[in-house]
Amino acid sequence: MLLPLAAVSAQNRAPKTADAKPAVPNPLADEGYIAPPPSIARLVAAPREQNVNFTAPNPGSRQFFLRTMGDGLPSLQNVGKEHHNLGGFQVDYRGNRDRALTMRSSAGFEITEWASGRKMPVTIPAGARVSSPVWSPDGTQFAFLALFEDGTQIYVADATTGKSRAVTTRSTLSTSVTAPEWTADGTSIVTVLVPDARGPEPKEPKLATGPMVRLNENNKLKTRTYPDLLASPFEKALLAYHTTGQLAVVTVKTRAVKQVGAPGLIRSIAPSPDGQYFRVTYVEQPFSYLLPVASYGTRDVVIDGAGTVLRELVKRPLREGEEPGDPTDPPRAAAPTGVGAAGRAAPVDTGKRNIAWHPFAGGLLYAQLAPAPTGAARTDSTAASAARRADRLMHWKAPFDSTGGTTLYETANRLAGVQFSDNGAIMFVSETGSGGTFEQAVFLAENNAKFTVIAPRARGRGADSTARAAAPLAGGPGGRGARTSELVTRPGRRGVPVVVVSTDGKYVFTQGTTPDSAGKTPRAFVEKIEIRTGTRSRLYESAADVFETIHAPLDDDFTRAVIQRESPTLVPQSYVLTLASRDAKQLTTNVDLMPEITKAVRKTIVARRADGYSFNVKVTLPADYKDGTRLPAMFWFYPREFDNQDAYNRSLTQGAGAANRFPTYGPRSLAFIVTQGYALIEPDAPIFASEGQLPNDNYVVDLRNNLAAVIDALDTLAIVDRQRLGIGGHSYGAFSTVNAMVHTPFFKAGIAGDGAYNRTLTPNGFQSERRDLWQGRQTYLEMSPFLYADQLNGALLMYHSTEDQNVGTDPINSIKLFHALQGLGKTASLYMYPYEDHGPVARETVLDQWARWVAWLDKYVKNAGAKPKVTTM
């Protein structure tokens, strides 16, 4: 029986009489968390965490894999723990940490020795949950955060025994720096601690000290509609309190603590490999009422062990008076200025780029264009001149004085990234020229002798494309314009990624997949490249009957690797593969957790509109479906914008090979609805631009045409009963769901979650719309289903998270739409879920949602006019 979870015990306590009849539960109206039908509850709570995927061995020996032991969906207790939300900066204030660490914490760790199969549970302190494991550079131990109710400690575990011990004696401040940082020798950990002299948390005044004041005098600041901003001096004080930390170096063996400098508003840290210097990013005051914390001004500096600032690297000022170029960009900090000789703002084309620690020679590396020509010689534009100027890799040694660095490497192309071999003798440079991106091997001891190991012909072609990102300089923070690299990397002995070089020093390796052609499974491959000649030879290519992912080599000659194999019917498993013999040792014993869904009937059909446009539609049907059976159907969709049909067709190649993988489903996957006798319909629903117009100018018409085309195609194939259709979506899909229900007559019911329904509330742009409300007034109004609420067809269920942090989807959207629908006499419901963000995660919340979704669809779609089906728990 569908009952509120709290009502079960209450019912047992109630006095019973001979005449008493049990109350019939109403899953649409009952308050308290309720449970869905058992067939759905089992899928929601399926133990996904028990299936393992090994991807990366420990550094050094590469004999161990570390597994994080989950325990299912986060509990409401973890999600609902008291916290502050300060301009998007969420703090578990009792635990002195980022709220996300508490919400997403794990139960423990397990180490697997792959050669023997030995599994070692890691000892965890009593009463703690865990997060953020980080291997030491030599791979003999790993550090992690132990999360206690009232603090956060760093522990270190031994890789061979699994025994762990505390290395901090007081709580870390893990609100911004959320993982330990090892020094290159593995003897120390750099972290941020709660300051010794920190007093009590600021308290909100019992009596207001004045009005909330906001003033703008001809300043143009066009921002997106942020979900949460600081609102008072008290909140500013709270933010400062929870971001002020003490930089410290903790010796792992002795637990000795060396405090570095004075406490500060620390956002991020990066110790030099030798632990003598620190790159620290500080949040700058003043704080803002107009921008989220992520966009506050920052100052990036190098300090020494005493905390003395040696050099300012980058300063990003708070900019409350500028207009971002694209109002649809995500929240971001103001663009950094270049850094001149004294750390002051400099023209961007002369600034230092991609600053990072040199992993082997001490000091910093950075990229910088050669000085521009001066005087009469410079007659062209700055941009054209910059394109022809040499780009330089510079080495800047301590004490980082105003003279800057010395030239380590120079090229006529644009530097995109730099990595090293593990012995530091070979530097691998990604540089982009007119012909594409090159991967160059530079032998430092041979007067920078240079050899091209990957030529532009390999860039972006299907046969050689991979998803590996080019390292920025020496593995440090990347900059705009970084390109992809196909060279295989691994963790290096100095704590940064290095290029895998064969033990004889002659070869590097690349890996990727062949194209997915004619529906065939893409084949994974590994090739070795002779460094000095660029000659390639293929070491391995996977079979055609499985989808294979090569994760990491287990030795520097790439004779063995950890891989994953799967197919539409084969559960993904991890293996150790011997490339030459193709022998594979299975490491995992994963199982199909939900056969009733993985064995469902899945089809892809093509819907064709009357105007000639076509698009794909995914259809999922119950496992026992019989052709010709018309089912009630639930549409779930998320429209996207395209310039034309060709642009849409190109997008289809991005997920090439997905159909050849084993299907996986999260706790909120709408595929579960097929267990209740529905067809799940997932149309692409592209919105196309007409000549001289932007895509959104056609939004309502295209939405209507898309849905009509899908329904006609499914009706022709006798898959759905067009008189019993529901529609739903999340976020922009929720917005589109309500638009579909006010602009078409096709649907009996809808489910809309965490959506925006009134575009006048997002006046500076939304989704891919680049115009503001006043530039695209008519489009904004036509795309606002709130303004057409009187035309709603069908019964609308809305859900919204009370702490929705997504830009533009403030819960007020759902509250006001429900208010309007109520006044209009429409059938609607609204479920507001406490503590949740944009997309609920707590076990209790997700189960409750499913209970209400199933009841809603059963009443208004499957059995219109009938009472909801009562199911025994």
Side-chain angles (χ1 to χ4, degrees):
M1 180 178 295
L2 285 170
L3 284 175
L5 300 182
V8 176
S9 58
Q11 190 181 69
N12 291 336
R13 293 193 305 268
K16 296 180 174 59
T17 65
D19 301 329
K21 293 182 179 180
V24 177
N26 182 352
L28 302 183
D30 285 347
E31 294 189 324
Y33 291 98
I34 62 177
S39 55
I40 293 283
R42 192 192 77 77
L43 297 170
V44 171
R48 296 166 180 81
E49 68 280 358
Q50 294 180 11
N51 282 348
V52 188
N53 179 22
F54 293 131
T55 59
N58 65 311
S61 68
R62 288 180 267 191
Q63 66 186 108
F64 300 115
F65 290 102
L66 178 62
R67 174 188 176 187
T68 298
M69 305 292 288
D71 48 4
L73 286 168
S75 69
L76 194 66
Q77 181 177 358
N78 282 346
V79 175
K81 188 181 179 186
E82 292 181 349
H83 59 276
H84 295 311
N85 191 358
L86 304 169
F89 183 78
Q90 296 190 327
V91 178
D92 172 355
Y93 54 83
R94 289 191 61 198
N96 291 312
R97 56 182 175 260
D98 185 341
R99 182 196 179 205
L101 293 176
T102 299
M103 290 174 59
R104 302 289 188 175
S105 58
S106 299
F109 302 108
E110 182 182 77
I111 299 171
T112 297
E113 185 178 49
W114 64 262
S116 66
R118 182 169 64 105
K119 298 182 186 299
M120 294 166 287
V122 175
T123 59
I124 300 300
R129 293 181 66 79
V130 296
S131 181
S132 310
V134 182
W135 283 106
S136 62
D138 64 4
T140 61
Q141 54 191 339
F142 71 92
F144 63 91
L145 297 183
L147 313 179
F148 297 94
E149 185 72 13
D150 58 354
T152 304
Q153 301 285 349
I154 297 177
Y155 276 62
V156 167
D158 183 87
T160 58
T161 66
K163 293 182 178 179
S164 70
R165 63 184 183 88
V167 297
T168 51
T169 57
R170 71 174 190 262
S171 180
T172 64
L173 185 70
S174 296
T175 54
S176 293
V177 178
T178 57
E181 292 275 351
W182 288 92
T183 55
D185 60 9
T187 64
S188 301
I189 289 174
V190 183
T191 188
V192 178
L193 301 175
V194 171
D196 283 329
R198 184 171 77 161
E201 184 183 76
K203 299 299 181 184
E204 187 169 12
K206 292 183 178 179
L207 187 66
T209 58
M212 178 187 291
V213 177
R214 303 292 183 268
L215 174 67
N216 190 70
E217 294 182 312
N218 299 319
N219 244 354
K220 191 173 185 181
L221 178 65
K222 187 172 289 188
T223 67
R224 300 190 69 183
T225 308
Y226 297 118
D228 185 77
L229 297 169
L230 296 189
S232 67
F234 164 66
E235 289 194 346
K236 288 184 176 181
L238 272 183
L239 176 62
Y241 181 84
H242 288 292
T243 54
T244 300
Q246 175 64 60
L247 181 64
V249 181
V250 182
T251 303
V252 172
K253 183 174 290 187
T254 65
R255 303 205 299 175
V257 176
K258 177 187 176 183
Q259 297 191 162
V260 181
L265 302 174
I266 298 174
R267 173 169 286 180
S268 66
I269 58 174
S272 63
D274 60 10
Q276 299 301 305
Y277 303 97
F278 307 87
R279 185 176 176 183
V280 184
T281 300
Y282 294 101
V283 178
E284 293 274 270
Q285 297 204 52
F287 296 156
S288 175
Y289 292 133
L290 306 180
L291 295 169
V293 173
S295 296
Y296 285 6
T298 58
R299 183 170 175 251
D300 194 352
V301 300
V302 174
I303 63 176
D304 63 16
T308 302
V309 175
L310 302 179
R311 181 60 45 183
E312 181 180 279
L313 300 178
V314 182
K315 188 177 180 67
R316 301 173 178 87
L318 173 69
R319 290 175 174 162
E320 291 188 337
E322 291 191 357
E323 178 181 354
D326 182 355
T328 68
D329 285 343
R332 60 177 178 84
T337 59
V339 180
R344 295 184 297 271
V348 172
D349 70 344
T350 64
K352 297 174 174 65
R353 314 187 320 271
N354 292 21
I355 304 171
W357 293 113
H358 195 310
F360 298 101
L364 290 162
L365 294 173
Y366 62 86
Q368 188 175 44
L369 289 175
T374 59
R378 184 170 186 177
T379 58
D380 52 1
S381 70
T382 299
S385 176
R388 290 193 293 273
R389 284 152 51 195
D391 208 3
R392 295 171 175 174
L393 177 65
M394 310 295 289
H395 185 196
W396 197 12
K397 298 181 180 180
F400 314 104
D401 58 29
S402 60
T403 60
T406 58
T407 302
L408 188 62
Y409 177 79
E410 184 170 300
T411 176
N413 298 316
R414 181 80 165 180
L415 289 170
V418 176
Q419 299 175 106
F420 289 85
S421 60
D422 203 17
N423 60 8
I426 310 174
M427 185 168 67
F428 295 90
V429 182
S430 298
E431 47 186 82
T432 302
S434 58
T437 297
F438 301 76
E439 300 292 342
Q440 312 279 21
V442 180
F443 286 78
L444 299 175
E446 300 179 23
N447 197 28
N448 281 6
K450 180 168 67 174
F451 303 91
T452 300
V453 292
I454 298 179
R457 65 175 179 80
R459 184 64 49 195
R461 306 285 176 91
D464 295 317
S465 62
T466 72
R468 293 179 177 269
L473 303 186
R480 292 182 182 271
R483 306 298 292 271
T484 57
S485 170
E486 296 171 1
L487 295 177
V488 175
T489 64
R490 63 168 174 80
R493 61 186 173 89
R494 303 286 288 171
V496 298
V498 296
V499 174
V500 176
V501 178
S502 61
T503 53
D504 61 11
K506 294 182 178 179
Y507 300 95
V508 290
F509 304 90
T510 185
Q511 65 187 70
T513 56
T514 58
D516 176 19
S517 59
K520 294 182 179 179
T521 301
R523 295 191 180 196
F525 67 82
V526 177
E527 291 183 339
K528 70 176 181 180
I529 305 172
E530 189 171 14
I531 297 174
R532 294 177 184 267
T533 67
T535 303
R536 292 183 177 224
S537 57
R538 186 153 292 195
L539 296 181
Y540 174 76
E541 185 175 284
S542 64
D545 58 344
V546 294
F547 188 98
E548 198 163 284
T549 305
I550 300 170
H551 287 303
L554 292 172
D555 57 70
D556 282 352
D557 292 313
F558 222 128
T559 63
R560 287 182 297 196
V562 58
I563 68 168
Q564 179 176 291
R565 286 178 177 167
E566 60 185 303
S567 76
T569 57
L570 177 67
V571 177
Q573 306 287 358
S574 293
Y575 299 81
V576 168
L577 170 73
T578 301
L579 273 68
S581 66
R582 303 179 68 89
D583 291 336
K585 173 185 174 67
Q586 186 168 330
L587 302 178
T588 58
T589 54
N590 299 329
V591 298
D592 185 355
L593 297 169
M594 45 192 75
E596 62 268 58
I597 302 299
T598 58
K599 291 181 171 57
V601 178
R602 287 183 292 277
K603 307 174 182 227
T604 298
I605 67 173
V606 176
R608 292 182 172 83
R609 293 177 6 184
D611 56 9
Y613 289 108
S614 62
F615 54 93
N616 286 355
V617 182
K618 290 194 299 183
V619 178
T620 306
L621 304 166
D624 60 355
Y625 177 76
K626 304 297 183 186
D627 286 345
T629 304
R630 294 183 180 273
L631 297 177
M634 181 61 181
F635 284 50
W636 195 260
F637 76 141
Y638 192 102
R640 288 179 171 83
E641 299 78 24
F642 299 93
D643 288 337
N644 49 48
Q645 181 76 57
D646 287 343
Y648 167 76
N649 293 343
R650 287 193 300 272
S651 74
L652 298 179
T653 64
Q654 297 175 2
N660 301 298
R661 309 188 73 166
F662 189 79
T664 57
Y665 303 95
R668 298 174 67 245
S669 171
L670 260 289
F672 299 168
I673 202 68
V674 302
T675 66
Q676 308 303 300
Y678 292 85
L680 173 64
I681 312 301
E682 298 172 279
D684 282 351
I687 306 299
F688 292 109
S690 298
E691 185 175 351
Q693 291 184 309
L694 296 174
N696 278 340
D697 293 334
N698 302 312
Y699 173 85
V700 172
V701 172
D702 273 10
L703 186 69
R704 184 185 301 117
N705 289 344
N706 286 335
L707 294 171
V710 174
I711 294 168
D712 286 345
L714 295 170
D715 185 42
T716 299
L717 295 171
I719 292 175
V720 304
D721 177 352
R722 66 188 306 154
Q723 301 304 317
R724 294 188 296 164
L725 302 178
I727 190 167
H730 185 82
S731 192
Y732 200 69
F735 158 77
S736 297
T737 292
V738 183
N739 265 305
M741 294 181 70
V742 300
H743 292 301
T744 78
F746 305 141
F747 302 101
K748 300 295 185 185
I751 297 175
D754 290 352
Y757 310 115
N758 184 347
R759 284 303 165 201
T760 68
L761 298 178
T762 55
N764 293 327
F766 60 91
Q767 204 72 0
S768 65
E769 179 55 61
R770 287 166 171 77
R771 296 167 295 183
D772 64 27
L773 170 61
W774 299 272
Q775 295 167 326
R777 187 191 309 269
Q778 191 61 31
T779 296
Y780 272 67
L781 298 179
E782 288 179 354
M783 291 180 69
S784 295
F786 180 85
L787 303 181
Y788 299 88
D790 61 323
Q791 299 178 20
L792 182 80
N793 295 291
L796 177 62
L797 180 155
M798 291 181 289
Y799 63 90
H800 216 121
S801 301
T802 60
E803 297 191 45
D804 187 351
Q805 294 298 292
N806 185 56
V807 172
T809 56
D810 190 286
I812 196 66
N813 280 272
S814 295
I815 294 170
K816 291 303 182 183
L817 180 56
F818 181 79
H819 184 208
L821 294 174
Q822 183 182 38
L824 292 165
K826 301 292 185 178
T827 299
S829 64
L830 173 59
Y831 305 101
M832 303 289 293
Y833 288 98
Y835 317 124
E836 301 283 6
D837 196 345
H838 192 68
V841 296
R843 180 179 184 273
E844 292 86 342
T845 301
V846 177
L847 288 170
D848 185 89
Q849 283 188 326
W850 269 109
R852 301 183 194 277
W853 292 353
V854 171
W856 193 263
L857 294 178
D858 280 356
K859 179 175 183 178
Y860 293 109
V861 176
K862 183 190 290 184
N863 305 305
K867 293 182 179 180
K869 181 180 179 181
V870 177
T871 307
T872 302
M873 292 180 63

